[in-house]
PDB file of all heavy atoms in Angstrom:
ATOM      1  N   ILE A   6       6.689   1.488   3.539  1.00  0.00           N
ATOM      2  CA  ILE A   6       8.033   1.841   3.079  1.00  0.00           C
ATOM      3  C   ILE A   6       7.960   2.242   1.612  1.00  0.00           C
ATOM      4  O   ILE A   6       7.427   1.509   0.782  1.00  0.00           O
ATOM      5  CB  ILE A   6       9.005   0.666   3.242  1.00  0.00           C
ATOM      6  CG1 ILE A   6       9.147   0.308   4.728  1.00  0.00           C
ATOM      7  CG2 ILE A   6      10.374   0.996   2.651  1.00  0.00           C
ATOM      8  CD1 ILE A   6      10.012  -0.914   4.967  1.00  0.00           C
ATOM      9  N   SER A   7       8.478   3.400   1.294  1.00  0.00           N
ATOM     10  CA  SER A   7       8.467   3.900  -0.076  1.00  0.00           C
ATOM     11  C   SER A   7       9.393   3.063  -0.951  1.00  0.00           C
ATOM     12  O   SER A   7      10.543   2.800  -0.581  1.00  0.00           O
ATOM     13  CB  SER A   7       8.918   5.366  -0.108  1.00  0.00           C
ATOM     14  OG  SER A   7       9.162   5.793  -1.432  1.00  0.00           O
ATOM     15  N   GLU A   8       8.898   2.637  -2.117  1.00  0.00           N
ATOM     16  CA  GLU A   8       9.751   1.902  -3.053  1.00  0.00           C
ATOM     17  C   GLU A   8      10.816   2.810  -3.655  1.00  0.00           C
ATOM     18  O   GLU A   8      11.863   2.355  -4.083  1.00  0.00           O
ATOM     19  CB  GLU A   8       8.902   1.292  -4.176  1.00  0.00           C
ATOM     20  CG  GLU A   8       7.975   0.201  -3.704  1.00  0.00           C
ATOM     21  CD  GLU A   8       7.218  -0.420  -4.855  1.00  0.00           C
ATOM     22  OE1 GLU A   8       7.407   0.025  -6.005  1.00  0.00           O
ATOM     23  OE2 GLU A   8       6.426  -1.345  -4.611  1.00  0.00           O
ATOM     24  N   ARG A   9      10.538   4.086  -3.686  1.00  0.00           N
ATOM     25  CA  ARG A   9      11.466   5.043  -4.295  1.00  0.00           C
ATOM     26  C   ARG A   9      12.618   5.407  -3.368  1.00  0.00           C
ATOM     27  O   ARG A   9      13.780   5.443  -3.785  1.00  0.00           O
ATOM     28  CB  ARG A   9      10.712   6.314  -4.700  1.00  0.00           C
ATOM     29  CG  ARG A   9      11.572   7.393  -5.354  1.00  0.00           C
ATOM     30  CD  ARG A   9      10.695   8.551  -5.830  1.00  0.00           C
ATOM     31  NE  ARG A   9       9.891   9.090  -4.752  1.00  0.00           N
ATOM     32  CZ  ARG A   9      10.344  10.002  -3.881  1.00  0.00           C
ATOM     33  NH1 ARG A   9      11.581  10.459  -3.969  1.00  0.00           N
ATOM     34  NH2 ARG A   9       9.551  10.456  -2.927  1.00  0.00           N
ATOM     35  N   THR A  10      12.323   5.631  -2.099  1.00  0.00           N
ATOM     36  CA  THR A  10      13.356   6.091  -1.156  1.00  0.00           C
ATOM     37  C   THR A  10      13.827   5.011  -0.196  1.00  0.00           C
ATOM     38  O   THR A  10      14.901   5.128   0.397  1.00  0.00           O
ATOM     39  CB  THR A  10      12.831   7.272  -0.327  1.00  0.00           C
ATOM     40  OG1 THR A  10      11.752   6.818   0.524  1.00  0.00           O
ATOM     41  CG2 THR A  10      12.326   8.387  -1.229  1.00  0.00           C
ATOM     42  N   GLY A  11      13.011   3.954  -0.006  1.00  0.00           N
ATOM     43  CA  GLY A  11      13.356   2.915   0.949  1.00  0.00           C
ATOM     44  C   GLY A  11      13.125   3.336   2.386  1.00  0.00           C
ATOM     45  O   GLY A  11      13.564   2.654   3.318  1.00  0.00           O
ATOM     46  N   ARG A  12      12.410   4.430   2.594  1.00  0.00           N
ATOM     47  CA  ARG A  12      12.165   4.949   3.937  1.00  0.00           C
ATOM     48  C   ARG A  12      10.692   4.795   4.313  1.00  0.00           C
ATOM     49  O   ARG A  12       9.826   4.766   3.450  1.00  0.00           O
ATOM     50  CB  ARG A  12      12.559   6.431   4.022  1.00  0.00           C
ATOM     51  CG  ARG A  12      14.038   6.683   3.747  1.00  0.00           C
ATOM     52  CD  ARG A  12      14.321   8.179   3.770  1.00  0.00           C
ATOM     53  NE  ARG A  12      15.722   8.458   3.499  1.00  0.00           N
ATOM     54  CZ  ARG A  12      16.233   9.686   3.381  1.00  0.00           C
ATOM     55  NH1 ARG A  12      15.431  10.743   3.501  1.00  0.00           N
ATOM     56  NH2 ARG A  12      17.521   9.855   3.146  1.00  0.00           N
ATOM     57  N   THR A  13      10.445   4.700   5.626  1.00  0.00           N
ATOM     58  CA  THR A  13       9.062   4.657   6.083  1.00  0.00           C
ATOM     59  C   THR A  13       8.405   6.005   5.848  1.00  0.00           C
ATOM     60  O   THR A  13       9.072   7.044   5.845  1.00  0.00           O
ATOM     61  CB  THR A  13       8.986   4.309   7.579  1.00  0.00           C
ATOM     62  OG1 THR A  13       9.761   5.251   8.322  1.00  0.00           O
ATOM     63  CG2 THR A  13       9.516   2.908   7.830  1.00  0.00           C
ATOM     64  N   SER A  14       7.105   5.974   5.636  1.00  0.00           N
ATOM     65  CA  SER A  14       6.376   7.198   5.327  1.00  0.00           C
ATOM     66  C   SER A  14       5.186   7.349   6.278  1.00  0.00           C
ATOM     67  O   SER A  14       4.525   6.369   6.630  1.00  0.00           O
ATOM     68  CB  SER A  14       5.869   7.173   3.881  1.00  0.00           C
ATOM     69  OG  SER A  14       6.941   7.043   2.976  1.00  0.00           O
ATOM     70  N   LEU A  15       4.949   8.573   6.701  1.00  0.00           N
ATOM     71  CA  LEU A  15       3.811   8.880   7.554  1.00  0.00           C
ATOM     72  C   LEU A  15       2.701   9.494   6.711  1.00  0.00           C
ATOM     73  O   LEU A  15       2.936  10.436   5.959  1.00  0.00           O
ATOM     74  CB  LEU A  15       4.220   9.852   8.668  1.00  0.00           C
ATOM     75  CG  LEU A  15       5.233   9.319   9.683  1.00  0.00           C
ATOM     76  CD1 LEU A  15       5.592  10.425  10.678  1.00  0.00           C
ATOM     77  CD2 LEU A  15       4.678   8.110  10.410  1.00  0.00           C
ATOM     78  N   PHE A  16       1.510   8.941   6.826  1.00  0.00           N
ATOM     79  CA  PHE A  16       0.363   9.456   6.096  1.00  0.00           C
ATOM     80  C   PHE A  16      -0.527  10.243   7.051  1.00  0.00           C
ATOM     81  O   PHE A  16      -0.787   9.802   8.171  1.00  0.00           O
ATOM     82  CB  PHE A  16      -0.440   8.311   5.474  1.00  0.00           C
ATOM     83  CG  PHE A  16       0.248   7.629   4.330  1.00  0.00           C
ATOM     84  CD1 PHE A  16       1.178   6.625   4.555  1.00  0.00           C
ATOM     85  CD2 PHE A  16      -0.042   7.987   3.027  1.00  0.00           C
ATOM     86  CE1 PHE A  16       1.811   5.986   3.505  1.00  0.00           C
ATOM     87  CE2 PHE A  16       0.583   7.350   1.964  1.00  0.00           C
ATOM     88  CZ  PHE A  16       1.515   6.362   2.202  1.00  0.00           C
ATOM     89  N   LEU A  17      -1.010  11.373   6.614  1.00  0.00           N
ATOM     90  CA  LEU A  17      -1.905  12.176   7.420  1.00  0.00           C
ATOM     91  C   LEU A  17      -3.274  11.511   7.510  1.00  0.00           C
ATOM     92  O   LEU A  17      -3.684  10.768   6.606  1.00  0.00           O
ATOM     93  CB  LEU A  17      -2.061  13.578   6.817  1.00  0.00           C
ATOM     94  CG  LEU A  17      -0.792  14.432   6.726  1.00  0.00           C
ATOM     95  CD1 LEU A  17      -1.106  15.751   6.014  1.00  0.00           C
ATOM     96  CD2 LEU A  17      -0.213  14.696   8.113  1.00  0.00           C
ATOM     97  N   ASP A  18      -3.981  11.750   8.601  1.00  0.00           N
ATOM     98  CA  ASP A  18      -5.345  11.235   8.730  1.00  0.00           C
ATOM     99  C   ASP A  18      -6.177  11.750   7.558  1.00  0.00           C
ATOM    100  O   ASP A  18      -6.099  12.924   7.183  1.00  0.00           O
ATOM    101  CB  ASP A  18      -5.966  11.710  10.040  1.00  0.00           C
ATOM    102  CG  ASP A  18      -5.311  11.073  11.260  1.00  0.00           C
ATOM    103  OD1 ASP A  18      -4.392  10.265  11.070  1.00  0.00           O
ATOM    104  OD2 ASP A  18      -5.721  11.405  12.387  1.00  0.00           O
ATOM    105  N   GLY A  19      -6.946  10.847   6.970  1.00  0.00           N
ATOM    106  CA  GLY A  19      -7.758  11.226   5.826  1.00  0.00           C
ATOM    107  C   GLY A  19      -7.090  10.967   4.487  1.00  0.00           C
ATOM    108  O   GLY A  19      -7.735  11.084   3.441  1.00  0.00           O
ATOM    109  N   SER A  20      -5.794  10.611   4.503  1.00  0.00           N
ATOM    110  CA  SER A  20      -5.090  10.303   3.259  1.00  0.00           C
ATOM    111  C   SER A  20      -5.750   9.105   2.583  1.00  0.00           C
ATOM    112  O   SER A  20      -6.037   8.094   3.225  1.00  0.00           O
ATOM    113  CB  SER A  20      -3.617   9.994   3.531  1.00  0.00           C
ATOM    114  OG  SER A  20      -2.949  11.091   4.096  1.00  0.00           O
ATOM    115  N   GLU A  21      -5.982   9.217   1.289  1.00  0.00           N
ATOM    116  CA  GLU A  21      -6.623   8.144   0.539  1.00  0.00           C
ATOM    117  C   GLU A  21      -5.625   7.496  -0.411  1.00  0.00           C
ATOM    118  O   GLU A  21      -4.740   8.167  -0.946  1.00  0.00           O
ATOM    119  CB  GLU A  21      -7.816   8.685  -0.252  1.00  0.00           C
ATOM    120  CG  GLU A  21      -8.910   9.278   0.626  1.00  0.00           C
ATOM    121  CD  GLU A  21     -10.081   9.804  -0.179  1.00  0.00           C
ATOM    122  OE1 GLU A  21      -9.941   9.943  -1.415  1.00  0.00           O
ATOM    123  OE2 GLU A  21     -11.139  10.057   0.410  1.00  0.00           O
ATOM    124  N   PHE A  22      -5.754   6.196  -0.620  1.00  0.00           N
ATOM    125  CA  PHE A  22      -4.869   5.488  -1.535  1.00  0.00           C
ATOM    126  C   PHE A  22      -5.500   4.174  -1.965  1.00  0.00           C
ATOM    127  O   PHE A  22      -6.514   3.749  -1.411  1.00  0.00           O
ATOM    128  CB  PHE A  22      -3.485   5.254  -0.916  1.00  0.00           C
ATOM    129  CG  PHE A  22      -3.507   4.759   0.508  1.00  0.00           C
ATOM    130  CD1 PHE A  22      -3.887   3.469   0.816  1.00  0.00           C
ATOM    131  CD2 PHE A  22      -3.137   5.605   1.543  1.00  0.00           C
ATOM    132  CE1 PHE A  22      -3.884   3.006   2.121  1.00  0.00           C
ATOM    133  CE2 PHE A  22      -3.142   5.164   2.862  1.00  0.00           C
ATOM    134  CZ  PHE A  22      -3.520   3.863   3.147  1.00  0.00           C
ATOM    135  N   MET A  23      -4.871   3.537  -2.963  1.00  0.00           N
ATOM    136  CA  MET A  23      -5.295   2.220  -3.439  1.00  0.00           C
ATOM    137  C   MET A  23      -4.396   1.154  -2.829  1.00  0.00           C
ATOM    138  O   MET A  23      -3.199   1.363  -2.655  1.00  0.00           O
ATOM    139  CB  MET A  23      -5.212   2.139  -4.963  1.00  0.00           C
ATOM    140  CG  MET A  23      -6.183   3.013  -5.717  1.00  0.00           C
ATOM    141  SD  MET A  23      -7.914   2.521  -5.445  1.00  0.00           S
ATOM    142  CE  MET A  23      -7.906   0.817  -6.065  1.00  0.00           C
ATOM    143  N   VAL A  24      -4.985   0.009  -2.516  1.00  0.00           N
ATOM    144  CA  VAL A  24      -4.247  -1.114  -1.939  1.00  0.00           C
ATOM    145  C   VAL A  24      -4.438  -2.338  -2.831  1.00  0.00           C
ATOM    146  O   VAL A  24      -5.553  -2.592  -3.308  1.00  0.00           O
ATOM    147  CB  VAL A  24      -4.750  -1.438  -0.521  1.00  0.00           C
ATOM    148  CG1 VAL A  24      -4.058  -2.679   0.025  1.00  0.00           C
ATOM    149  CG2 VAL A  24      -4.523  -0.248   0.410  1.00  0.00           C
ATOM    150  N   SER A  25      -3.376  -3.092  -3.075  1.00  0.00           N
ATOM    151  CA  SER A  25      -3.483  -4.349  -3.817  1.00  0.00           C
ATOM    152  C   SER A  25      -2.753  -5.442  -3.064  1.00  0.00           C
ATOM    153  O   SER A  25      -1.802  -5.167  -2.320  1.00  0.00           O
ATOM    154  CB  SER A  25      -2.928  -4.211  -5.241  1.00  0.00           C
ATOM    155  OG  SER A  25      -1.570  -3.845  -5.227  1.00  0.00           O
ATOM    156  N   TYR A  26      -3.181  -6.689  -3.255  1.00  0.00           N
ATOM    157  CA  TYR A  26      -2.568  -7.829  -2.555  1.00  0.00           C
ATOM    158  C   TYR A  26      -2.976  -9.117  -3.255  1.00  0.00           C
ATOM    159  O   TYR A  26      -3.921  -9.147  -4.054  1.00  0.00           O
ATOM    160  CB  TYR A  26      -3.002  -7.861  -1.092  1.00  0.00           C
ATOM    161  CG  TYR A  26      -4.463  -8.213  -0.905  1.00  0.00           C
ATOM    162  CD1 TYR A  26      -4.864  -9.510  -0.603  1.00  0.00           C
ATOM    163  CD2 TYR A  26      -5.447  -7.238  -1.062  1.00  0.00           C
ATOM    164  CE1 TYR A  26      -6.196  -9.835  -0.453  1.00  0.00           C
ATOM    165  CE2 TYR A  26      -6.791  -7.555  -0.928  1.00  0.00           C
ATOM    166  CZ  TYR A  26      -7.159  -8.853  -0.622  1.00  0.00           C
ATOM    167  OH  TYR A  26      -8.482  -9.173  -0.500  1.00  0.00           O
ATOM    168  N   VAL A  27      -2.255 -10.187  -2.954  1.00  0.00           N
ATOM    169  CA  VAL A  27      -2.589 -11.512  -3.487  1.00  0.00           C
ATOM    170  C   VAL A  27      -3.474 -12.220  -2.468  1.00  0.00           C
ATOM    171  O   VAL A  27      -3.094 -12.385  -1.302  1.00  0.00           O
ATOM    172  CB  VAL A  27      -1.325 -12.352  -3.737  1.00  0.00           C
ATOM    173  CG1 VAL A  27      -1.700 -13.744  -4.244  1.00  0.00           C
ATOM    174  CG2 VAL A  27      -0.421 -11.669  -4.750  1.00  0.00           C
ATOM    175  N   GLY A  28      -4.661 -12.641  -2.893  1.00  0.00           N
ATOM    176  CA  GLY A  28      -5.575 -13.354  -2.015  1.00  0.00           C
ATOM    177  C   GLY A  28      -5.184 -14.811  -1.845  1.00  0.00           C
ATOM    178  O   GLY A  28      -4.308 -15.332  -2.546  1.00  0.00           O
ATOM    179  N   HIS A  29      -5.843 -15.492  -0.917  1.00  0.00           N
ATOM    180  CA  HIS A  29      -5.540 -16.903  -0.663  1.00  0.00           C
ATOM    181  C   HIS A  29      -5.848 -17.781  -1.871  1.00  0.00           C
ATOM    182  O   HIS A  29      -5.340 -18.896  -1.999  1.00  0.00           O
ATOM    183  CB  HIS A  29      -6.318 -17.401   0.554  1.00  0.00           C
ATOM    184  CG  HIS A  29      -7.813 -17.333   0.395  1.00  0.00           C
ATOM    185  ND1 HIS A  29      -8.528 -18.304  -0.262  1.00  0.00           N
ATOM    186  CD2 HIS A  29      -8.718 -16.403   0.786  1.00  0.00           C
ATOM    187  CE1 HIS A  29      -9.811 -17.985  -0.269  1.00  0.00           C
ATOM    188  NE2 HIS A  29      -9.966 -16.831   0.350  1.00  0.00           N
ATOM    189  N   ASP A  30      -6.705 -17.273  -2.784  1.00  0.00           N
ATOM    190  CA  ASP A  30      -7.055 -18.027  -3.984  1.00  0.00           C
ATOM    191  C   ASP A  30      -6.088 -17.778  -5.138  1.00  0.00           C
ATOM    192  O   ASP A  30      -6.266 -18.295  -6.237  1.00  0.00           O
ATOM    193  CB  ASP A  30      -8.476 -17.688  -4.434  1.00  0.00           C
ATOM    194  CG  ASP A  30      -8.672 -16.186  -4.695  1.00  0.00           C
ATOM    195  OD1 ASP A  30      -7.696 -15.420  -4.556  1.00  0.00           O
ATOM    196  OD2 ASP A  30      -9.800 -15.798  -5.042  1.00  0.00           O
ATOM    197  N   GLY A  31      -5.053 -16.964  -4.886  1.00  0.00           N
ATOM    198  CA  GLY A  31      -4.062 -16.690  -5.919  1.00  0.00           C
ATOM    199  C   GLY A  31      -4.391 -15.503  -6.795  1.00  0.00           C
ATOM    200  O   GLY A  31      -3.580 -15.082  -7.603  1.00  0.00           O
ATOM    201  N   ASN A  32      -5.599 -14.949  -6.656  1.00  0.00           N
ATOM    202  CA  ASN A  32      -5.969 -13.770  -7.432  1.00  0.00           C
ATOM    203  C   ASN A  32      -5.420 -12.502  -6.781  1.00  0.00           C
ATOM    204  O   ASN A  32      -5.153 -12.470  -5.581  1.00  0.00           O
ATOM    205  CB  ASN A  32      -7.495 -13.652  -7.533  1.00  0.00           C
ATOM    206  CG  ASN A  32      -8.075 -14.694  -8.457  1.00  0.00           C
ATOM    207  OD1 ASN A  32      -7.576 -14.921  -9.547  1.00  0.00           O
ATOM    208  ND2 ASN A  32      -9.149 -15.342  -8.017  1.00  0.00           N
ATOM    209  N   VAL A  33      -5.287 -11.464  -7.580  1.00  0.00           N
ATOM    210  CA  VAL A  33      -4.860 -10.167  -7.075  1.00  0.00           C
ATOM    211  C   VAL A  33      -6.091  -9.282  -6.920  1.00  0.00           C
ATOM    212  O   VAL A  33      -6.919  -9.196  -7.827  1.00  0.00           O
ATOM    213  CB  VAL A  33      -3.843  -9.504  -8.030  1.00  0.00           C
ATOM    214  CG1 VAL A  33      -3.435  -8.130  -7.498  1.00  0.00           C
ATOM    215  CG2 VAL A  33      -2.617 -10.383  -8.182  1.00  0.00           C
ATOM    216  N   TYR A  34      -6.215  -8.638  -5.768  1.00  0.00           N
ATOM    217  CA  TYR A  34      -7.366  -7.789  -5.483  1.00  0.00           C
ATOM    218  C   TYR A  34      -6.916  -6.362  -5.171  1.00  0.00           C
ATOM    219  O   TYR A  34      -5.798  -6.134  -4.703  1.00  0.00           O
ATOM    220  CB  TYR A  34      -8.156  -8.338  -4.295  1.00  0.00           C
ATOM    221  CG  TYR A  34      -8.820  -9.657  -4.577  1.00  0.00           C
ATOM    222  CD1 TYR A  34      -8.153 -10.858  -4.357  1.00  0.00           C
ATOM    223  CD2 TYR A  34     -10.110  -9.714  -5.092  1.00  0.00           C
ATOM    224  CE1 TYR A  34      -8.749 -12.077  -4.628  1.00  0.00           C
ATOM    225  CE2 TYR A  34     -10.725 -10.929  -5.358  1.00  0.00           C
ATOM    226  CZ  TYR A  34     -10.044 -12.104  -5.127  1.00  0.00           C
ATOM    227  OH  TYR A  34     -10.635 -13.304  -5.399  1.00  0.00           O
TER     228      TYR A  34
END
């Protein structure tokens, strides 16, 4: 879901991006 539009977004095959998340140890990866 786009933070800008609030709508779901479809990504084409091969689209590249960065992912971040909070791990179980509390660190961000």
